[in-house]
Amino acid sequence: MQAAVRAPAAPWREVLQRALQANQACRHSRYVQLATVRPDGRPANRTIVYRGQLEGDSDTLTFVTDARSRKVEEIAHCPWGEVAWYFPDTREQFRLLGRLTLVDSATADERLQQGRLAAWRAMSDAGRLQFLWPQPGEDRGDDSLFSPAAPTASDPVLDTFCLLCLDVEEVDHIQLAPTFLRHTFVRQPGGSSSGGGWEVRNVNPRIFGEAAGAKEAFAQSAGRPAAQTAAAQRPMAAAAAPAADSKAWPTKPPFIVQPPSGQHKSTVIVLHGLGDSGIGWAFLPKLLAEDLPHTQWVLPNAPVRRISRFGGQASTAWFDIMPAAGAHTQQDAEGMKDTLSYVEHLLEQQAAAGVPPSQVIIGGFSQGGAMALLALRSHHRLAGVLALSAFMPLTAEQPLFADANVQTPTLMTHGDADQVITLERAQRSVAGLTKPNFEFRVYPGLAHAVRDDLLDDIRAFLTTHLSSEA
């Protein structure tokens, strides 16, 4: 019987927390830009300081403000706001859209008042002092008005002190180095503010030219070459990507490894899609941690290579994509087989750690899903294969699965609204496939993405076929 699942932290929280940790040496990394709308319809923007998340609510970010600020009127007129948050050390930006709630001395909600009190006590004396300053925006008076005795953490909270909460509903995350990546996180109808109910998508980045120019300008201002700057600013969670067109797989783990909470008995390897990285799927181990306490998660990063279909643009990819040529576009067999060799290397690493391939499930999304299906040709017997929004590769080269994996449970999932890899293409790639324990599952209305019902099916597949979790 499947255990009840507690609502997880919003998936973008993991990515944001990594950015905060990687940029903690930068004193301005907690400064954000908050945009609101004035009553006359004109935009308003200002810099505020991130104070943490609301206790017990992973979707809500907190800030502080003055009850006399113009923000109060603006939020009363329109509660929607958006935060733009740039992290210079790792070259990434978050835009977080949501509803704003102002918590003042008259707010009746006890939990919000506890959050307000905690924020007051966490302020420095100099920070609390600002809430005794004269009315913001009025003509400046005598300087002595700005230096009264500073309130202490044990003093009552001033009426001018407000907690500002942003209940996040959409997140747009763009990473500028080592390669351009962009993910969106959108809370789905019915999703609670305590987590869950989020759709995660890997989407095309924007403004490549301006972003590249910004990288050069940043490097010059720091007095060092752009390449050196980019190398120094890659996220801490991932190793440096190989140069474009490099086929040399790194010898050190170029991926995120999420250890099990208990004894290591099984492993899930997740291969990301085109232009993505392992961190794009870091939410999944956290989501399923309670269901799979003995499972280690391995989230590799594909090498950077030039993509023929996109005019040679460099991107993380498990294989090249050839220019479209109808239903029978040539596939990069060499690149795909290189990746299969790499996956077999990962399986051998697991075996050396005491976990045989028969206790390893290989999963993937899009390109990564195609490579998961290619792993059925491995001579290692696998615990299972899970392919999301993918297709069976190299179908002209038979057999499509090795004798060792004839009985390997295999689940392909696809949305009928997928415009990246169409449902028809995915179904055509496995037409006529006769393999035991194979299932192709279609999700009405799903695009090239994941959502709650698909995540539930992923959970069921993994817990069913990793026998050590029984």
Side-chain angles (χ1 to χ4, degrees), residues 411-466:
L411 176 61
M412 284 185 71
T413 69
H414 221 92
D416 63 7
D418 194 330
Q419 298 300 311
V420 178
I421 299 174
T422 64
L423 176 61
E424 187 274 335
R425 180 188 176 192
Q427 291 175 325
R428 185 176 66 243
S429 73
V430 293
L433 178 65
T434 56
K435 179 190 179 302
N437 298 323
F438 174 83
E439 181 181 1
F440 192 107
R441 196 170 296 173
V442 179
Y443 295 77
L446 179 64
H448 202 64
V450 296
R451 67 186 187 198
D452 283 358
D453 54 347
L454 174 54
L455 290 171
D456 288 340
D457 289 346
I458 292 172
R459 175 188 291 111
F461 182 84
L462 296 180
T463 55
T464 297
H465 297 297
L466 291 176

Side-chain angles (χ1 to χ4, degrees), residues 46-394:
R46 77 285 293 162
T47 301
I48 56 178
V49 181
Y50 172 61
R51 302 291 176 177
Q53 70 185 68
L54 188 64
E55 182 69 27
D57 190 340
S58 65
D59 293 5
T60 301
L61 308 183
T62 65
F63 313 89
V64 299
T65 191
D66 195 304
R68 301 164 295 174
S69 165
R70 290 181 180 177
K71 289 191 291 293
V72 175
E73 181 184 11
E74 292 161 5
I75 294 169
H77 169 73
C78 177
W80 288 97
E82 184 171 68
V83 160
W85 198 344
Y86 181 70
F87 291 92
D89 286 352
T90 50
R91 300 283 292 150
E92 58 190 311
Q93 174 187 272
F94 292 80
R95 293 194 303 169
L96 305 105
L97 174 71
R99 291 180 176 271
L100 293 163
T101 299
L102 197 73
V103 184
D104 59 16
S105 58
T107 300
D109 189 304
E110 181 61 28
R111 184 173 69 100
L112 294 179
Q113 282 295 350
Q114 286 298 319
R116 177 170 173 258
L117 177 60
W120 170 260
R121 290 175 174 172
M123 295 279 288
S124 66
D125 288 351
R128 284 187 290 270
L129 175 61
Q130 296 177 39
F131 292 90
L132 284 174
W133 286 358
Q135 177 72 35
E138 291 188 352
D139 292 341
R140 187 181 179 97
D142 190 278
D143 286 350
S144 63
L145 298 175
F146 292 88
S147 54
T152 67
S154 60
D155 288 332
V157 182
L158 295 174
D159 288 346
T160 52
F161 182 85
C162 298
L163 182 70
L164 182 60
C165 300
L166 178 68
D167 183 18
V168 178
E169 297 200 4
E170 295 182 13
V171 178
D172 190 332
H173 173 230
I174 185 165
Q175 181 177 312
L176 302 178
T179 188
F180 293 101
L181 301 174
R182 184 183 177 195
H183 292 87
T184 60
F185 306 80
V186 180
R187 188 193 293 172
Q188 299 302 288
S192 71
S193 60
S194 60
W198 290 84
E199 179 186 75
V200 184
R201 297 181 63 201
N202 175 27
V203 300
N204 293 329
R206 61 186 182 277
I207 321 179
F208 274 63
E210 292 185 20
K215 183 186 293 186
E216 296 292 339
F218 181 87
Q220 292 171 10
S221 68
R224 51 187 172 176
Q228 180 181 344
T229 300
Q233 295 170 348
R234 291 187 177 102
M236 295 168 60
D245 300 325
S246 172
K247 294 181 180 178
W249 297 93
T251 56
K252 294 183 179 179
F255 42 67
I256 299 168
V257 176
Q258 179 67 42
S261 58
Q263 182 182 356
H264 182 195
K265 298 180 180 180
S266 60
T267 298
V268 177
I269 299 173
V270 182
L271 306 176
H272 61 74
L274 177 69
D276 202 353
S277 66
I279 198 171
W281 288 86
F283 71 93
L284 197 57
K286 191 169 186 178
L287 178 69
L288 302 180
E290 293 185 359
D291 299 275
L292 301 168
H294 301 291
T295 298
Q296 180 187 83
W297 292 77
V298 177
L299 311 176
N301 293 331
V304 176
R305 64 180 81 221
R306 300 195 183 280
I307 306 302
S308 298
R309 182 175 295 184
F310 304 140
Q313 176 182 303
S315 176
T316 52
W318 299 111
F319 53 87
D320 191 12
I321 304 175
M322 305 303 181
H328 303 289
T329 299
Q330 180 183 356
Q331 294 182 0
D332 177 19
E334 181 181 0
M336 291 177 174
K337 292 174 182 178
D338 280 347
T339 295
L340 176 58
S341 296
Y342 177 62
V343 170
E344 290 184 321
H345 170 66
L346 296 179
L347 291 171
E348 290 163 3
Q349 285 185 330
Q350 290 297 313
V355 177
S358 59
Q359 283 299 316
V360 178
I361 287 180
I362 299 179
F365 177 81
S366 194
Q367 263 206 354
M371 293 301 90
L373 291 169
L374 191 65
L376 288 168
R377 306 186 192 197
S378 171
H379 65 278
H380 297 292
R381 181 171 67 87
L382 304 173
V385 166
L386 178 63
L388 316 177
S389 302
F391 62 92
M392 178 70 77
L394 303 180

